[in-house]
Amino acid sequence: MSLIPTPLVPRDDDLIPVTVCLTPVQADRLERLLAHCRDHSGLDDESVADMVFETGLQVAEQAING
């Protein structure tokens, strides 16, 4: 995750930036998850945020598809 809205270096892929608003509780949960992953998995924050988003998207799709 980055607080910088526009990447300083153009990316080679076709990603679309997304902004989300979190409650303070959600922000704390995400920060704890990011810290855990930094310490135990070696994943960077962007990879973890991508994983969280992809997992949530899959769960939502499963919920609407039955």
Side-chain angles (χ1 to χ4, degrees):
M1 285 187 338
S2 174
L3 296 177
I4 302 170
T6 307
L8 297 176
V9 178
R11 298 180 81 140
D12 292 334
D13 48 31
D14 58 348
L15 296 178
I16 299 168
V18 175
T19 301
V20 298
C21 295
L22 302 174
T23 66
V25 172
Q26 291 170 324
D28 183 57
R29 290 170 58 201
L30 180 58
E31 185 54 42
R32 283 186 282 132
L33 176 65
L34 292 172
H36 177 82
C37 289
R38 276 185 230 118
D39 293 343
H40 295 94
S41 72
L43 293 173
D44 64 16
D45 289 1
E46 284 194 28
S47 296
V48 176
D50 291 346
M51 176 187 65
V52 168
F53 179 80
E54 180 61 30
T55 302
L57 189 57
Q58 288 176 1
V59 169
E61 288 172 334
Q62 289 173 355
I64 64 173
N65 291 331

